[in-house]
Amino acid sequence: MTIENSIMVFIEQRDGKVADVSLELICEAKRLAKSLGVPVTGVAAGHHMSENLKPLGGYGCEKVYYTDDKRLSYFTSVPYAKVIVKTIKKYHPQIVLFGASTTGRDVAPRVASEMKCGLTADCTELKIGNYKTKSKEYKNILHQIRPAFGGNIIATIVSPEGGISMATVREGVMKMSALDISIKAEVIKETCDLADDDFMTEVIEIVRKEKRVNLKSAQIIVSAGMGANSPEALKLVKELASVLGGEVGSSRPVVDSGTLSRERQVGQTGTTVRPNLYIACGISGQIQHRAGMAEAKRIIAINSDENAPIFDIAHYGIVGDVCDVIPKMIKAYKAEA
Amino acid sequence: MGLKMIVMVKQVPDTHNISGEAMKPDGTVNRNALPAIFNPEDLNALEEALKIKEKTGGFVTAISMGPQKALDVLKECLYRGADNVVLVTDRRFAGADTLATSYALKRAIETVGKFDLVLCGRQAIDGDTAQVGPQIAEKLNINQLTCVSEVVDVDDKAITVRRTVDDGHEIVKSCFPTLLTVTSDANKPRPPSVKRVMSYKNTTCDCCSTDTEISCISETAGNLLECDVDYIDADPEKCGISGSPTKVIKVKNVVLTTGNSKKIPNTESGIGDLIDELRNDNILG
Ligand SMILES: Cc1cc2nc3c(=O)[nH]c(=O)nc-3n(C[C@H](O)[C@H](O)[C@H](O)COP(=O)(O)OP(=O)(O)OC[C@H]3O[C@@H](n4cnc5c(N)ncnc54)[C@H](O)[C@@H]3O)c2cc1C
Ligand SMILES: Nc1ncnc2c1ncn2[C@@H]1O[C@H](COP(=O)(O)O)[C@@H](O)[C@H]1O
């Protein structure tokens, strides 16, 4: 048995192609691993995808423990959880990271339950630090940071006992750094000892829909909050986005109200964006929203309440009604075009 | 005959509608001032169970772990159509994280008896973790189908559902027993029935002592039962704080820095200057 003390990332795949969130997590793991002096490894399951795993080395993943089986081509809960648990038990990583995707959020809790270890969902920041109780001091453990309880607090969570910490992180939260294609990861094949009985879910059909909205790559985002959720204001938000050549984003309550689709939600439980320009229209600026947009290069906030928290992170603040301000912006932009 | 179903329901603070009164002067939330509600997606889980019962026949038991006050959501389950409800309550459960919660709920489910289907909400709005469902499934050693947005087909052996995933959807099938986590897209929960409100309004809670025999999934309906750690035969070490590997070590109020935001006058010239500045900085094309 090899005890590695690595940071392990669950490598999520679709049709054999590695998901972006896994690459982002490898980059974050690399950063954490540096301060611990340990390697970054990956755990993957799939079929005929060794070649797609080698490039992970370029992001900082040294080895990938890969279980290949035709029955693992598609994600199903029990077999994937078993593969991950087996790999963890064999190599003893001290930290395991999962994307907070529908797949990661399905399998991570199952793995954590079997390993009887802590799992923190939707972290917005990860750090290595110490933790002291009255009787004991824990050195170099994972500090998992996430907004909690209505966003009014930021909680730092640790799982000191049990020797293993697990966390999920949403796509886009961690930065992906440039690929060094000359470095290849070592792909280590693990034997698959799953029985047919472990495959309890029969996949009948998979329908992938093209993402119609790509907030992550938009350079300009105009977002509507509850202060811009009237038909009139929404029309103006869409018009401003189209005039500036940007995408429409939104806060969560607007999505919950059904006026904009879920894929437009910016924030902790939506998409994290880093555009050149973010225009927040009638958005109060709660932490869960800010978690998804605070790193925009420039932020304009339009809000009728001069004390709205969004003004604290905006580079430019306009106090006023969205229906009054947006037409002026459109006019000014067109006038100089 | 028919399916034996267990629905897991939680009472949560209404974090989606935090009002001014719920904020303390130091900027933190006063939990006690927040109304306690039925976790929204748990209503969808209950509705789905009731719909399945209409189709295949069967029996629906709702279980909640929480303080006495959680009886409110369980009564609500009776009003909407659940056959029996069980409150799992004990001070020794306090401070549980998702691992300790799922352990206690697993013991409660096993105490209640044999089942075909467990239904949970996808996630609870107080933490948005979505962990308890899959963890119960692992502890019961059964399959799980998460993010279910539609039940496509069900008979007495298997269930076929549509799962909404990040980039589309899947149609998947599982034999019983299995666990579903249900999303708000799955259905529109029915309102409480007036007739049922009349019959269960005054139902009182029966505390189970170690010698009461409960088999909740029996043909007698309308029971409102309460049980503790001992009754469900849970190991107190695995419950509550002592059974929770995660510790919250620091809680920071979100301090709003009065930033260096530039105030733009809401006038044509003010906004015109802003657009100029963004153009000059190549932010706008
Ligand atoms: C676990 C959890 C996860 C969450 N995840 C997310 C997330 O990913 N993304 C997200 O956005 N939220 C998320 N939330 C919700 C978040 O806490 C806030 O409730 C939400 O961001 C508020 O949205 P809002 O600013 O649009 O609405 P409100 O808070 O209602 O603010 C509306 C604002 O509009 C202003 N306004 C009103 N009328 C006008 C007008 N005519 N012109 C100009 N301004 C006007 C008001 O002054 C106010 O500031 C989450 C919450 C929880 C508990
Ligand atoms: N204390 C509890 N009692 C009953 N069911 C619960 C409890 N906690 C969580 N659940 C179930 O697990 C689901 C997911 O919860 P969570 O992991 O907290 O987001 C909820 O929608 C409920 O169905």
Side-chain angles (χ1 to χ4, degrees):
Chain A
M1 188 174 62
T2 356
I3 295 193
E4 246 181 4
N5 220 359
S6 63
I7 301 184
M8 189 177 274
V9 175
F10 167 56
I11 308 298
E12 196 175 321
Q13 53 102 359
R14 253 164 243 131
D15 303 327
K17 192 181 162 287
V18 174
D20 278 357
V21 69
S22 304
L23 302 179
E24 294 164 8
L25 284 178
I26 291 173
C27 297
E28 175 65 12
K30 182 77 193 159
R31 200 179 59 75
L32 296 169
K34 227 165 145 183
S35 63
L36 290 173
V38 300
V40 175
T41 61
V43 50
H47 190 42
H48 288 326
M49 59 174 291
S50 293
E51 284 311 310
N52 293 345
L53 295 172
K54 287 182 185 157
L56 300 183
Y59 296 88
C61 181
E62 290 180 19
K63 294 177 192 160
V64 186
Y65 305 110
Y66 170 48
T67 306
D68 186 304
D69 192 292
K70 191 163 183 298
R71 300 168 299 174
L72 292 170
S73 300
Y74 302 109
F75 171 79
T76 53
S77 313
V78 173
Y80 268 61
K82 290 202 167 168
V83 165
I84 298 168
V85 165
K86 185 182 161 209
T87 310
I88 291 174
K89 286 187 173 161
K90 186 166 169 194
Y91 296 103
H92 298 273
Q94 64 189 94
I95 294 170
V96 185
L97 304 178
F98 297 81
S101 57
T102 39
T103 297
R105 282 161 75 93
D106 182 295
V107 77
R110 210 169 162 114
V111 171
S113 174
E114 191 164 348
M115 297 302 302
K116 300 189 176 49
C117 67
L119 170 66
T120 306
D122 285 341
C123 296
T124 49
E125 200 185 332
L126 297 171
K127 273 193 211 156
I128 301 295
N130 300 335
Y131 168 56
K132 230 164 107 181
T133 62
K134 278 192 202 91
S135 52
K136 215 165 161 184
E137 188 171 355
Y138 303 86
K139 283 218 153 73
N140 290 327
I141 58 170
L142 186 67
H143 287 216
Q144 304 151 70
I145 299 163
R146 77 182 299 246
F149 214 73
N152 292 278
I153 55 171
I154 307 256
T156 302
I157 296 163
V158 294
S159 337
E161 299 285 356
I164 183 164
S165 300
M166 294 193 188
T168 71
V169 179
R170 285 196 180 254
E171 181 177 345
V173 170
M174 301 302 175
K175 271 198 193 130
M176 201 193 295
S177 41
L179 174 75
D180 178 352
I181 47 163
S182 63
I183 308 172
K184 296 268 181 267
E186 183 189 348
V187 177
I188 296 158
K189 281 256 179 105
E190 301 292 327
T191 51
C192 177
D193 46 19
L194 293 166
D196 279 336
D197 285 352
D198 291 323
F199 292 82
M200 301 175 178
T201 302
E202 182 191 342
V203 179
I204 296 172
E205 190 187 2
I206 296 183
V207 180
R208 306 232 190 275
K209 75 174 186 268
E210 270 307 309
K211 259 200 196 157
R212 275 172 298 129
V213 184
N214 198 345
L215 280 185
K216 247 177 70 175
S217 60
Q219 288 311 317
I220 296 177
I221 297 174
V222 185
S223 273
M226 287 311 277
N229 200 24
S230 67
E232 186 198 358
L234 272 176
K235 198 168 149 253
L236 286 166
V237 166
K238 289 178 188 165
E239 190 182 338
L240 181 62
S242 108
V243 168
L244 300 179
E247 270 291 1
V248 174
S250 81
S251 69
R252 181 159 98 173
V254 171
V255 168
D256 288 343
S257 80
T259 45
L260 289 174
S261 68
R262 181 76 48 200
E263 50 200 355
R264 298 199 184 272
Q265 181 185 320
V266 171
Q268 186 202 343
T269 46
T271 305
T272 300
V273 297
R274 293 186 182 81
N276 282 331
L277 180 62
Y278 189 88
I279 308 183
C281 309
I283 292 179
S284 57
Q286 299 302 317
I287 185 72
Q288 291 95 349
H289 189 79
R290 291 181 355 207
M293 46 67 75
E295 285 188 48
K297 250 195 212 125
R298 299 288 169 90
I299 298 167
I300 302 178
I302 307 169
N303 197 307
S304 48
D305 172 9
E306 62 175 324
N307 295 317
I310 189 78
F311 287 126
D312 300 327
I313 58 156
H315 303 95
Y316 309 99
I318 307 174
V319 178
D321 191 306
V322 284
C323 295
D324 174 40
V325 175
I326 296 181
K328 287 183 193 151
M329 294 180 85
I330 295 174
K331 195 171 159 204
Y333 184 80
K334 284 188 172 162
E336 296 165 44
Chain B
M1 255 324 289
L3 293 177
K4 296 179 169 62
M5 290 177 274
I6 298 183
V7 185
M8 310 307 294
V9 300
K10 187 179 187 186
Q11 191 178 47
V12 292
D14 190 358
T15 53
H16 280 185
N17 295 303
I18 294 182
S19 63
E21 296 98 78
M23 299 300 290
K24 291 192 222 158
D26 63 357
T28 58
V29 183
N30 179 6
R31 269 179 190 251
N32 299 328
L34 284 182
I37 60 166
F38 202 123
N39 181 49
E41 285 182 322
D42 299 354
L43 279 176
N44 299 106
L46 174 65
E47 176 62 26
E48 213 47 59
L50 297 173
K51 274 168 60 186
I52 292 172
K53 180 181 166 181
E54 282 161 5
K55 189 158 176 235
T56 64
F59 218 71
V60 176
T61 304
I63 300 180
S64 187
M65 181 174 95
Q68 283 293 327
K69 201 167 176 316
L71 277 174
D72 296 349
V73 295
L74 288 173
K75 277 224 162 167
E76 188 71 28
C77 292
L78 284 176
Y79 299 159
R80 287 171 194 253
D83 296 298
N84 288 317
V85 297
V86 182
L87 176 67
V88 186
T89 190
D90 196 311
R91 295 228 321 258
R92 288 173 283 178
F93 291 128
D97 69 4
T98 63
L99 192 72
T101 300
S102 56
Y103 168 72
L105 292 175
K106 165 221 150 129
R107 286 299 318 141
I109 292 168
E110 287 174 340
T111 307
V112 161
K114 263 186 101 67
F115 61 89
D116 300 297
L117 187 59
V118 179
L119 299 100
C120 293
R122 176 189 43 169
Q123 61 190 38
I125 61 167
D126 54 350
D128 276 4
T129 73
Q131 284 169 195
V132 170
Q135 294 193 320
I136 292 174
E138 190 281 324
K139 299 231 175 303
L140 290 168
N141 202 13
I142 61 171
N143 196 18
Q144 67 192 41
L145 305 172
T146 60
C147 294
V148 170
S149 51
E150 186 189 340
V151 170
V152 179
D153 192 26
V154 57
D155 57 34
D156 57 6
K157 288 202 178 55
I159 187 164
T160 305
V161 303
R162 175 189 159 112
R163 296 183 61 221
T164 302
V165 294
D166 292 323
D167 57 350
H169 71 262
E170 301 175 356
I171 308 291
V172 293
K173 182 176 179 179
S174 173
C175 290
F176 297 127
T178 190
L179 178 144
L180 310 186
T181 77
V182 180
T183 72
S184 58
D185 294 330
N187 54 48
K188 201 167 163 288
R190 71 194 61 193
S193 117
V194 177
K195 210 173 118 217
R196 294 186 67 95
V197 173
M198 296 315 285
S199 20
Y200 294 120
K201 195 170 58 181
N202 297 321
T203 303
T204 51
C205 192
D206 289 324
C207 291
C208 301
S209 63
T210 15
D211 47 56
T212 23
E213 181 82 39
I214 58 162
S215 173
C216 223
I217 307 188
S218 66
E219 299 306 317
T220 52
N223 295 307
L224 177 56
L225 299 168
E226 182 186 317
C227 48
D228 63 5
V229 166
D230 302 320
Y231 191 77
I232 62 171
D233 200 15
D235 175 356
E237 277 303 303
K238 294 186 183 165
C239 297
I241 290 185
S242 57
S244 299
T246 57
K247 313 272 174 241
V248 176
I249 56 168
K250 196 165 84 190
V251 170
K252 202 169 75 188
N253 288 340
V254 175
V255 196
L256 301 172
T257 50
T258 16
N260 1 8
S261 150
K262 191 161 154 185
K263 239 191 169 163
I264 305 294
N266 179 14
T267 59
E268 295 209 353
S269 70
I271 290 172
D273 291 347
L274 168 64
I275 301 284
D276 278 347
E277 182 175 334
L278 293 173
R279 273 226 170 84
N280 289 339
D281 295 350
N282 289 323
I283 297 287
L284 282 178

